[in-house]
Amino acid sequence: MHSLLTAPRCAPLLFGYRGGEAVDLEGLEQLLLRLSRMACDLPQLAETDLNPVVVRPDGAVALDVRLRILPRHAHDPYPRRLRAARRWRT
């Protein structure tokens, strides 16, 4: 996970570029790992939007989070189909 965060061109901003403070990279990694774990644990999770995510030297926090959850349907191991009704001619 660390290499995914440090590879983009904007990564120097995370390490204190031009006199700024370095951010809590471990906190950002934990936020992303927990989001990934939630996606694995909840198959009905269809979409997530974390915007904005603020990462500071003392931690990382998502200020606005939106989730879209699909309804959970019971899995029927025996699918059934109804036959189309036949119209009888008189």
Side-chain angles (χ1 to χ4, degrees):
M1 176 65 75
H2 185 78
S3 63
L4 291 174
L5 294 174
T6 58
R9 289 189 307 171
C10 63
L13 297 174
L14 300 173
F15 302 108
Y17 185 69
R18 291 191 180 184
E21 283 189 78
V23 300
D24 182 13
L25 206 53
E26 178 71 24
L28 180 58
E29 286 180 20
Q30 286 300 314
L31 185 130
L32 294 174
L33 287 171
R34 289 178 183 185
L35 178 64
S36 174
R37 181 63 184 197
M38 184 174 63
C40 289
D41 289 346
L42 297 172
Q44 62 269 29
L45 181 63
E47 186 176 326
T48 59
D49 181 21
L50 284 69
N51 188 15
V53 174
V54 176
V55 186
R56 298 175 32 171
D58 58 344
V61 64
L63 298 180
D64 184 25
V65 178
R66 295 178 187 194
L67 304 172
R68 189 168 65 92
I69 307 288
L70 297 175
R72 187 173 185 166
H73 299 289
H75 176 68
D76 186 2
Y78 306 105
R80 298 171 186 92
R81 293 185 182 158
L82 296 176
R83 294 182 187 163
R86 293 184 183 179
R87 295 184 184 176
W88 297 97
R89 292 186 181 177
T90 56

